[in-house]
Amino acid sequence: MKIYVDPGHGGSDPGAQGNGLSEKNITLDISQRIRSILINNYRNVNVRLSRDGDITKSLQQRTNEANAWGADYFLSIHCNAFNGNARGYEDFIHSNLSDSSQTARYRNVLHTEITKVNQLRNRGKKKANFHVLRESNMSAILTENGFIDNQSDAALMRNASWRQKVAQGHVNGLAKAFNLQLKEDHDGGNDSGQLFKVIAGSFKSKANAEQRVEELESKGISSFLDSLSLSGEIWFRVQAGAFSERDNAEEQLIRVRNAGIRDAYIISED
């Protein structure tokens, strides 16, 4: 089973923004968590992310890659924005598809499982002529996981445990829709939902953080900015990878430090 997970936006395209958050960072975090849960816990599942860092990638590149890889399912992760008042979760399949299509049946299962756990208002199942839904050769869904410009939804997005729940809801839907089989033992994996993130510096100045991202990029290490509030102040954190296993995070930390970033460290989030 090949699942292509597409974290929306990235690089020069931040996506929706609000309440100190950028869609491209939220979607990447959720997507990495989806991959970790699938790879650690299920048999015969291959997962490919359209991006594994803060890079710019066109919609055509994403669908071309999924098609060339021969993906069985295309899962595009997004967040919404409107007027600050709208809130909740909704998902989309292509507008040409009937409610009895296989894609719609898959979507029905994912919708049910995601809305069980995401703590968001259910805005329903919808259809649209989005590129990733139209140009993918396989069944595809696009999920909109809350409104980033709504204070209530954004407060959830800021919480790592909520992002883990959303990822788990997507995986629960995939497992049920495609009859994925759990591994008999998980000794080699991390079942706790922990994600080990390599932080290559934290800054009060966004410009300084962006300079660190450029420095890492010049040395072949992809990273992106994540903002967080500490004691009422906004800090900009440079993330250079997220891993389900501590050993892999340690290896990345060594690479970052060898690139001259001495203040890099690892954090774990449940």
Side-chain angles (χ1 to χ4, degrees):
M1 176 73 190
K2 293 181 175 181
I3 301 174
Y4 189 88
V5 182
D6 173 38
H9 308 281
S12 61
D13 173 16
Q17 295 178 286
N19 295 292
L21 300 172
S22 289
E23 180 181 5
K24 66 178 182 177
N25 296 337
I26 301 298
T27 60
L28 179 59
D29 185 88
I30 292 172
S31 297
Q32 289 173 330
R33 292 172 185 274
I34 289 171
R35 177 180 60 188
S36 293
I37 299 169
L38 284 169
I39 295 301
N40 288 335
N41 298 323
Y42 290 91
R43 291 190 283 130
N44 303 319
V45 178
N46 291 320
V47 181
R48 181 174 291 187
L49 265 58
S50 62
R51 62 183 182 92
D52 209 3
D54 188 21
I55 64 170
T56 303
K57 198 163 189 177
S58 71
L59 295 175
Q60 186 172 1
Q61 284 177 307
R62 297 170 198 238
T63 51
N64 284 353
E65 186 175 84
N67 292 340
W69 185 46
D72 298 299
Y73 196 63
F74 191 109
L75 171 60
S76 191
I77 305 296
H78 285 259
C79 303
N80 234 325
F82 185 52
N83 61 3
N85 294 319
R87 55 188 298 200
Y89 169 85
E90 58 195 21
D91 47 42
F92 294 84
I93 60 173
H94 192 258
S95 48
N96 285 349
L97 295 170
S98 72
D99 292 337
S100 61
S101 66
Q102 183 64 69
T103 298
R105 291 198 293 272
Y106 289 148
R107 188 266 290 275
N108 291 344
V109 176
L110 266 80
H111 184 95
T112 297
E113 295 303 317
I114 294 166
T115 54
K116 279 181 185 177
V117 300
N118 66 4
Q119 302 169 258
L120 294 170
R121 178 179 295 168
N122 187 350
R123 296 171 58 89
K125 295 176 278 190
K126 302 184 177 182
K127 298 178 182 179
N129 186 30
F130 296 145
H131 175 97
V132 295
L133 303 179
R134 183 182 67 249
E135 300 300 328
S136 48
N137 293 339
M138 66 297 303
S139 289
I141 186 175
L142 185 147
T143 66
E144 293 277 8
N145 297 276
F147 282 74
I148 205 166
D149 58 345
N150 177 274
Q151 285 190 350
S152 176
D153 284 6
L156 291 172
M157 292 179 196
R158 201 170 272 115
N159 190 318
S161 64
W162 178 83
R163 298 194 299 272
Q164 184 70 21
K165 286 178 185 176
V166 169
Q168 187 67 62
H170 282 73
V171 171
N172 292 347
L174 291 168
K176 189 169 285 189
F178 295 100
N179 194 29
L180 302 182
Q181 301 299 305
L182 283 166
K183 291 180 178 178
E184 292 178 6
D185 68 83
H186 307 152
D187 291 343
N190 168 24
D191 300 330
S192 65
Q194 273 189 307
L195 206 60
F196 298 98
K197 297 184 175 183
V198 178
I199 306 302
S202 296
F203 306 85
K204 284 187 178 180
S205 163
K206 187 176 183 180
N208 289 345
E210 290 172 339
Q211 185 176 348
R212 176 62 56 84
V213 170
E214 291 176 6
E215 181 182 354
L216 287 165
E217 188 69 32
S218 71
K219 296 175 180 179
I221 298 173
S222 180
S223 63
F224 67 94
L225 292 191
D226 188 15
S227 62
L228 69 159
S229 178
L230 292 175
S231 303
E233 290 185 308
I234 298 296
W235 284 76
F236 297 94
R237 203 164 62 181
V238 178
Q239 182 177 319
F243 305 88
S244 60
E245 295 187 28
R246 178 94 191 189
D247 287 350
N248 293 336
E250 295 282 2
E251 289 177 7
Q252 178 72 341
L253 180 63
I254 291 170
R255 283 193 288 270
V256 171
R257 286 181 173 168
N258 286 344
I261 311 301
R262 299 303 176 193
D263 55 344
Y265 57 95
I266 294 172
I267 61 170
S268 64
E269 293 182 347
D270 294 325

